Amino acid sequence: MANQKFIISGGGTGGHIFPAISIANALKKKRPEAQFLFVGAEGRMEMEKVPNAGYEIVGLPVSGFNRSNLLKNFKVLFRLFKSLCMAKKVVKDFKPDVAVGVGGYASGPTLFMAHKLGVPTVLQEQNSYAGVTNKLLAKKAAKICVAYENMDRFFPKENTILTGNPVRQDFLDVAPKAAEAYDFFGFSPAKKTLLIVGGSLGARTINQSVIAGLQKLKEAGIQVLWQTGKFYFEDAKMAYEPFKTDDILVTDFVKRMDYAYAVADLVISRAGASSISELCLLGKSTILVPSPNVAEDHQTKNAQALSSRNAAIMVADKDAKEVLVDEALRLINDEPKLAELGQNAKAMAQLDSADRIADEILKLIEK
């Protein structure tokens, strides 16, 4: 059999890029001779992250539609047309056996052209509410791999398969409450630990809520690992100065998230698809604060998918400043509730997602 070739397209955020790289790694493990080409959007995160993971990437000039100023979309339409032409050339030159789309701008032109040129396409939808690009591409897709049940309300039932979201497997290598994880942060295993994360760029509302509650957090007798994200770090550091204590660690970026999860008794997080998949796999008790600034408000829908099963607590972004810290302090001392949330989250986890998606992709070639 000739070397198999795969195009993997999508990106824009870590939540799209990480699954894309995981799927490529799983395929590579099963087919070491295979060739891979990623297609991303120029100037976006994937143009740096994908080469760092050892894969080649081509960038398209595609960008998202401006919903608030329709006149600005002439440029967007021009870029889309240019991207379609470029995607056609990329697919023709590379001749992939399968094209995989993980959502995000770039996957639209790439998968549209792949299908048009007779290449089978596979979609991976990370959220509980399908993105616009994937909804448009689904009718032509040979397989749609999803992370939540009941996704046939968006996609053709016969082609939709529940696989979960690929997550970083190294998170599972560190035992919960591992001594080296506490040492890494200079924390004590004798105290409860609250982990606050707002994604790599940070989350304004979560950070403002923490700033408003610093006095309470300092007096609570718990440890706090607060990841602010790079945009909010300076403000957070300044606000924290008067409350300085060894029990609160403020950082723009956590280098060892595996250690952070290992020490956390409770996590406060946005409700992005990748974060939720990680939290479920680890069986973490979580308060989710969905970002209101995302397409179709999909983070709220992700959070509701858990909170409706008592697998997480949801706090609306607009209420967070008033209630988030109080809710966290109440919950972190409620052992039975923490255990219940963690068990229910773990029950929703999908294991070996990247391998299962890779198997679905390879089945298409064998057909």
Side-chain angles (χ1 to χ4, degrees):
M1 189 190 280
N3 281 357
Q4 289 162 351
K5 292 182 173 184
F6 302 99
I7 276 182
I8 300 180
S9 184
T13 65
H16 286 130
I17 299 156
F18 186 75
I21 292 169
S22 290
I23 292 166
N25 290 344
L27 283 165
K28 201 173 182 176
K29 215 165 61 191
K30 292 170 191 288
R31 297 287 185 275
E33 303 304 312
Q35 287 174 270
F36 296 88
L37 180 62
F38 279 71
V39 182
E42 282 173 0
R44 300 298 294 240
M45 199 187 230
E46 57 267 28
M47 301 309 292
E48 181 194 334
K49 298 277 188 218
V50 169
N52 288 352
Y55 294 102
E56 192 186 334
I57 187 166
V58 176
L60 302 181
V62 66
S63 60
F65 277 91
N66 189 320
R67 294 175 194 204
S68 53
N69 186 341
L70 295 176
L71 291 173
K72 287 192 174 161
N73 287 323
F74 286 116
K75 200 187 268 182
V76 175
L77 287 169
F78 172 71
R79 287 188 188 139
L80 178 61
F81 177 72
K82 196 174 165 192
S83 297
L84 283 163
C85 297
M86 285 172 70
K88 185 176 184 177
K89 185 172 172 6
V90 167
V91 175
K92 273 188 153 169
D93 292 350
F94 189 69
K95 300 184 179 64
D97 293 281
V98 179
V100 182
V102 295
Y105 310 140
S107 63
T110 311
L111 270 78
F112 177 79
M113 279 303 170
H115 174 77
K116 222 171 151 64
L117 293 166
V119 177
T121 61
V122 173
L123 302 180
Q124 199 254 331
E125 175 56 64
Q126 292 115 25
N127 292 298
S128 64
Y129 191 89
V132 175
T133 308
N134 277 350
K135 280 196 279 197
L136 292 171
L137 294 168
K139 293 178 186 70
K140 312 281 190 204
K143 268 281 181 281
I144 304 135
C145 298
V146 298
Y148 291 90
E149 285 159 0
N150 307 320
M151 292 300 283
D152 44 15
R153 64 192 201 278
F154 305 110
F155 301 133
K157 190 172 187 168
E158 63 281 6
N159 296 341
T160 303
I161 177 157
L162 182 67
T163 56
N165 282 326
V167 302
R168 289 168 274 199
Q169 292 301 314
D170 57 341
F171 286 167
L172 301 170
D173 297 342
V174 180
K177 311 287 181 204
E180 77 260 27
Y182 283 103
D183 292 345
F184 185 80
F185 299 112
F187 281 168
S188 155
K191 290 182 180 174
K192 288 275 175 63
T193 305
L194 173 65
L195 168 63
I196 303 165
V197 280
S200 52
L201 302 175
R204 182 188 282 129
T205 306
I206 291 179
N207 287 324
Q208 287 173 340
S209 307
V210 176
I211 289 169
L214 277 168
Q215 183 68 45
K216 289 176 183 169
L217 289 167
K218 183 180 178 174
E219 290 165 1
I222 63 166
Q223 295 164 148
V224 181
L225 176 54
W226 176 19
Q227 184 210 287
T228 62
K230 62 179 179 183
F231 292 144
Y232 306 106
F233 181 56
E234 291 308 321
D235 289 350
K237 214 165 61 170
M238 253 165 58
Y240 166 66
E241 251 337 281
F243 302 96
K244 225 169 174 159
T245 158
D246 290 344
D247 284 340
I248 300 178
L249 179 58
V250 186
T251 176
D252 59 338
F253 183 73
V254 176
K255 288 192 180 69
R256 292 293 304 261
M257 272 311 286
D258 51 349
Y259 283 172
Y261 281 141
V263 300
D265 295 282
L266 177 65
V267 182
I268 292 174
S269 172
R270 283 300 199 196
S274 287
S275 303
I276 285 184
S277 297
E278 290 165 2
L279 292 161
C280 286
L281 205 60
L282 294 162
K284 284 287 152 193
S285 317
T286 308
I287 299 175
L288 295 169
V289 186
S291 169
N293 314 314
V294 293
E296 274 108 15
D297 198 20
H298 68 247
Q299 285 207 4
T300 297
K301 286 149 186 150
N302 289 348
Q304 284 167 342
L306 270 74
S307 64
S308 64
R309 295 178 183 188
N310 200 15
I313 302 288
M314 182 170 91
V315 170
D317 191 88
K318 64 178 174 51
D319 303 329
K321 257 192 187 155
E322 274 68 57
V323 306
L324 183 59
V325 168
D326 289 339
E327 181 66 18
L329 293 177
R330 190 185 59 74
L331 190 56
I332 202 162
N333 292 308
D334 185 345
E335 280 292 341
K337 186 65 179 171
L338 285 179
E340 185 185 9
L341 289 171
Q343 281 162 3
N344 291 342
K346 205 166 178 72
M348 288 183 72
Q350 296 285 334
L351 299 170
D352 309 318
S353 296
D355 282 328
R356 287 156 65 190
I357 294 166
D359 289 339
E360 291 301 325
I361 293 166
L362 293 173
K363 275 184 209 164
L364 289 177
I365 299 177
E366 282 147 21
K367 273 185 184 170

